[in-house]
Amino acid sequence: MTPPLRKVALTAHVTSSVGWLGAVAAFLALAIAGLAGQDPQKVRGAYVAMEVTGWFVLVPLSFASLLTGLIQALGTTWGLFRHYWILFKLLINVVATVLLLVHMQVVSHVAGAAAGNALSSADLTGMRIQLVADAGAALLVLVVAATLSVFKPRGMTRYGRRQQHVRRDGQRKQPALSARQPSDAGG
């Protein structure tokens, strides 16, 4: 990628990833408010808001983070398979996105019960606790991914080490400019 395109891609990746992290934090706050709230109207509102936030913010940001991360990895010298930290981030992103889609079924069920005014403080307690636990775990996992992005721990994969040697060997085999070459060209 050209430097300007690389910056646009990096900006899109950072924005979607940090947005996903922030949306999960908001989701966790709503889950806690829904579980601990005393006002039935606020509790119902929290769960309805969680469903909207999940489908229209969390899910799109998770896919945007995955797509822009792949573009970053494949379009830059970092590569997708050269460094362990990139592989771990890819694994985190894929697993977190799949679990989010599974988790959204629980969210939709609780939100449906809340929207139908059928949710009291004792209803669906296990699912409501699960929403808090899952959101807390997701927040922790996304912080780990952000930490990997900042610290970029050393450690190349076998493929990455092989590619590094191939590049070094290719640079050694290229003819070096010597003091004799200009005179050869000039006669």
Side-chain angles (χ1 to χ4, degrees), residues 17-76:
S17 298
V18 171
W20 186 13
L21 183 89
V24 168
F27 193 89
L28 176 59
L30 288 170
I32 292 170
L35 182 62
Q38 300 300 318
D39 180 6
Q41 198 169 14
K42 285 183 182 177
V43 168
R44 287 194 300 271
Y47 289 114
V48 171
M50 285 174 68
E51 183 180 33
V52 172
T53 301
W55 287 115
F56 295 105
V57 180
L58 289 173
V59 171
L61 285 173
S62 71
F63 280 105
S65 176
L66 180 59
L67 178 65
T68 57
L70 287 171
I71 290 169
Q72 276 296 109
L74 296 173
T76 65

Side-chain angles (χ1 to χ4, degrees), residues 153-172:
R154 298 207 186 273
M156 294 186 87
T157 63
R158 275 193 238 176
Y159 172 77
R161 285 190 299 272
R162 237 183 354 260
Q163 291 298 325
Q164 193 175 38
H165 291 298
V166 166
R167 265 190 277 141
R168 283 185 196 154
D169 292 344
Q171 289 173 350
R172 288 182 196 144

Side-chain angles (χ1 to χ4, degrees), residues 2 7 33 39 44 72 80 88 95 114 143:
T2 63
K7 287 180 181 181
D39 180 6
R44 287 194 300 271
Q72 276 296 109
L80 185 58
F88 290 143
V95 169
V143 167

Side-chain angles (χ1 to χ4, degrees), residues 171-177 181:
Q171 289 173 350
R172 288 182 196 144
K173 291 179 184 177
Q174 291 178 359
L177 290 177
Q181 285 178 335

Side-chain angles (χ1 to χ4, degrees), residues 101-148:
L101 294 173
V102 170
H103 176 78
M104 285 308 300
Q105 303 311 309
V106 175
V107 173
S108 292
H109 181 75
V110 174
N117 291 328
L119 188 67
S120 70
S121 60
D123 290 339
L124 305 174
T125 304
M127 286 185 173
R128 293 163 62 195
I129 291 170
Q130 179 185 346
L131 292 176
V132 172
D134 290 351
L139 190 61
L140 180 63
V141 165
L142 292 176
V143 167
V144 168
T147 302
L148 286 171

